[in-house]
Amino acid sequence: MGWIANALNSSIGKKFIMALTGVCLLLFLIIHLINNLTLYGGPELFNTVVKNLEGIKPLVRVIELILVLIFVFHIYDAIRVWYGNKKARPINYKINASAENSTLFSRTMIWSGSIIFIFLVIHLRTFWVSFNLGHPLAQSHNYYEIVVQAFRDPVYSLFYVVAIILLGFHLKHGFQSAFQTFGWNNNKYFPMVRKLGDIYTYIMVIGFASIPIYFLFFYGGN
Amino acid sequence: MEEKKLNLTLKIWRQAAPDAAGGFQEYKVYVSPDSSFLEMLDELNNELESQNLDPIAFESDCREGICGTCGLVINGHPHGPIPKIATCQLHMRHFKDGDTIWVEPFRAKAFPVIKDLMVDRSAFDRIMEAGGFISVNTGSVPDGNAIPIPKDIASEAMDSASCIGCGACVAACKNASAMLFVSAKVSQFALLPQGQPERYRRVQAMVKKMDELGFGACSNTYACEAECPKGISIKNIARMNREFIKAKVKTEEIDV
């Protein structure tokens, strides 16, 4: 089995893991967004959706565990790759023209990723912990109200929107980068991959960021 | 007609020896716009030598953009700001009177500085030794059309083979990754029938050597493609990734 470890520890292997876990996370975000958008259907719809998920708890737990593993590998390999890459150039250039030969998104993946990670921790604290670990509103199945209360805080909402924009940075590069890493690049469909990545990114950013903006500015509620 | 010469300030990296501390030194030059970048450095060196000063060490050979020996980072661009040319093909007419030009050596752990602007790129030779060849039996010249190759495949292989191994991709990459170079070499063989017998062993051996030598991984920023004097496409990197993954999955050999 040593050959598998060797393959996955090579420079291409590490990137392959990054791309594979990245694509899994791209798919997860679609499901997450669809769930979130049910908030626009009002308290009843959203609470029913969450309650239905409660009904298939064991399955949700398994998926959550897989998701955690995907995140762990994505982050672990990101740090390994980043550290190795830093070591490959011990002395930096005095003048660097990187802005003229590459995109900002591609050069800042570790930083957009790091902030998304911090966001993820806070985000889990706000919603996952409240939904799962006995928040009084969760016990009465009023999950919608938890969301309303969270986004009532302008600081939290602002942080949420900023994190989503950085997620957009990450996705814009990551989407096409994953295809390139898998070796799926040719003249016929790579331009399409790039387009698709951009469309995906815009949908994700607008979709996720609209929710705190809606609750902060447009939700009359109580 | 009298040509208008340029007054330029050069900030050039000087480093006496591999382990010595280096730094930028300033030189004022008065140079013809028709002069090439390397000719300007030649003139400057003549002047330094006439004053009994140590000339600036830099590399060059063919001076027509095909040998891959020259390579300076000029204002942050390997081979200077003009795309798809080598340093030796860069002319001073692309600069303006009064410009300050920063000249640095390629910077990568795998390319240690020997002196001033000269770096040791023998790491590329180590990668080639690991698999960048085809094993053939010696004998008489093979028949011209014995192996049919479609024109577009031949062209694609030729595009990959046009890599001159200068190392600008490593210099441009934020990770000092050699993926563009290695992938071009992997591709030129993987595309052609002659490369098939060693196809999967080659890609694994070359990638392994590349990793051992301390080059970084690929972040797909595509800076390498933008700075490559020969316009080698990042499609080669995709092909190498494909070849590597295929090799790991398909072949039985485990110790490559």
Side-chain angles (χ1 to χ4, degrees):
Chain A
M1 295 296 273
W3 68 272
I4 296 180
N6 280 343
L8 296 180
N9 283 323
S10 68
S11 53
I12 295 178
K14 279 183 277 193
K15 289 296 298 185
F16 183 77
I17 297 276
M18 292 295 298
L20 194 66
T21 51
V23 168
C24 293
L25 294 171
L26 291 176
L27 296 172
F28 162 68
L29 283 181
I30 295 175
I31 297 167
H32 193 325
L33 181 63
I34 291 170
N35 269 325
N36 285 14
L37 291 178
T38 61
L39 281 162
Y40 288 121
E44 209 165 308
L45 178 67
F46 183 72
N47 289 339
T48 318
V49 169
V50 180
K51 227 187 322 185
N52 286 343
L53 286 173
E54 289 290 311
I56 47 164
K57 205 79 204 195
L59 180 66
V60 173
R61 286 283 176 261
V62 171
I63 293 169
E64 279 176 349
L65 189 69
I66 295 169
L67 208 52
V68 167
L69 287 175
I70 289 169
F71 267 111
V72 166
F73 274 103
H74 194 73
I75 293 165
Y76 170 68
D77 262 359
I79 294 168
R80 281 209 303 170
V81 169
W82 175 75
Y83 181 69
N85 290 347
K86 282 281 131 200
K87 275 205 314 193
R89 172 161 301 136
I91 303 168
N92 272 320
Y93 290 110
K94 168 84 181 170
I95 304 290
N96 199 332
S98 56
E100 289 158 47
N101 60 30
S102 55
T103 63
L104 175 73
F105 315 115
S106 69
R107 284 178 274 120
T108 51
M109 289 299 271
I110 190 75
W111 305 117
S112 54
S114 301
I115 294 167
I116 295 163
F117 176 70
I118 295 167
F119 166 75
L120 178 69
V121 174
I122 296 170
H123 178 65
L124 286 175
R125 169 70 196 82
T126 319
F127 296 111
W128 190 88
V129 172
S130 299
F131 280 29
N132 286 281
L133 301 177
H135 190 285
L137 282 166
Q139 276 164 356
S140 56
H141 299 299
N142 195 355
Y143 306 104
Y144 190 85
E145 188 56 28
I146 298 176
V147 179
V148 171
Q149 286 181 3
F151 289 134
R152 197 170 285 157
D153 178 359
V155 178
Y156 183 79
S157 285
L158 182 71
F159 171 62
Y160 192 102
V161 171
V162 169
I164 293 299
I165 290 169
L166 286 168
L167 176 69
F169 280 32
H170 208 73
L171 297 176
K172 183 165 165 52
H173 177 68
F175 192 100
Q176 54 81 32
S177 179
F179 284 85
Q180 165 77 2
T181 299
F182 291 144
W184 295 339
N185 177 349
N186 77 14
N187 289 342
K188 232 177 180 174
Y189 59 77
F190 203 58
M192 222 158 70
V193 166
R194 283 177 188 254
K195 269 267 157 55
L196 206 64
D198 285 355
I199 294 168
Y200 173 89
T201 304
Y202 286 125
I203 293 174
M204 289 300 139
V205 171
I206 294 168
F208 280 114
S210 70
I211 291 162
I213 293 170
Y214 168 74
F215 281 106
L216 192 61
F217 296 112
F218 303 106
Y219 178 69
N222 30 19
Chain B
M1 203 178 83
E2 183 71 6
E3 60 182 3
K4 184 133 175 35
K5 283 184 140 191
L6 307 169
N7 270 304
L8 299 170
T9 305
L10 304 178
K11 305 256 193 186
I12 297 178
W13 180 264
R14 302 299 309 262
Q15 181 174 338
D19 298 322
F24 287 94
Q25 208 160 321
E26 193 178 297
Y27 301 93
K28 299 275 184 199
V29 290
Y30 186 56
V31 63
S32 156
D34 293 335
S35 153
S36 81
F37 201 89
L38 296 184
E39 283 163 354
M40 173 187 69
L41 292 179
D42 290 337
E43 275 179 41
L44 175 58
N45 273 347
N46 279 342
E47 207 181 298
L48 291 175
E49 281 181 78
S50 70
Q51 296 166 25
N52 266 334
L53 292 169
D54 198 20
I56 299 153
F58 66 94
E59 281 186 284
S60 74
D61 192 5
C62 76
R63 298 211 176 189
E64 54 187 9
I66 48 175
C67 75
T69 311
C70 62
L72 305 172
V73 177
I74 300 160
N75 286 343
H77 292 281
H79 295 300
I82 308 298
K84 292 193 183 176
I85 56 167
T87 302
C88 59
Q89 297 167 292
L90 177 65
H91 284 79
M92 300 318 294
R93 68 182 76 101
H94 296 294
F95 296 91
K96 287 198 299 289
D97 191 46
D99 275 359
T100 298
I101 305 170
W102 293 81
V103 190
E104 294 178 74
F106 287 179
R107 298 212 185 272
K109 182 170 161 257
F111 287 171
V113 171
I114 301 168
K115 193 179 179 198
D116 299 337
L117 303 170
M118 276 174 84
V119 297
D120 179 0
R121 282 170 289 184
S122 54
F124 271 9
D125 299 336
R126 302 290 92 74
I127 296 174
M128 291 307 277
E129 285 162 12
F133 51 81
I134 52 169
S135 305
V136 288
N137 295 323
T138 53
S140 54
V141 179
D143 191 27
N145 290 319
I147 309 169
I149 301 166
K151 173 69 177 83
D152 33 346
I153 299 292
S155 298
E156 215 175 339
M158 190 59 218
D159 285 348
S160 302
S162 64
C163 165
I164 53 175
C166 64
C169 45
V170 176
C173 176
K174 76 179 181 70
N175 309 331
S177 170
M179 292 258 187
L180 194 66
F181 165 75
V182 179
S183 68
K185 299 301 171 192
V186 164
S187 291
Q188 76 187 47
F189 296 118
L191 284 164
L192 296 177
Q194 292 90 335
Q196 299 311 307
E198 291 153 308
R199 180 176 177 179
Y200 294 121
R201 165 167 259 284
R202 175 182 306 112
V203 63
Q204 295 179 79
M206 289 178 85
V207 169
K208 187 177 175 190
K209 184 54 81 179
M210 169 183 85
D211 289 350
E212 274 171 23
L213 290 165
F215 292 102
C218 182
S219 287
N220 300 332
T221 71
Y222 313 137
C224 52
E225 183 186 63
E227 299 289 358
C228 175
K230 295 295 152 186
I232 301 289
S233 164
I234 51 126
K235 278 197 297 172
N236 288 290
I237 300 180
R239 184 181 294 107
M240 177 171 71
N241 293 344
R242 218 150 61 211
E243 292 288 316
F244 183 82
I245 295 163
K246 252 195 272 180
K248 290 294 178 195
V249 175
K250 269 174 91 167
T251 61
E252 283 194 62
E253 228 176 331
I254 52 174
D255 48 350
V256 269

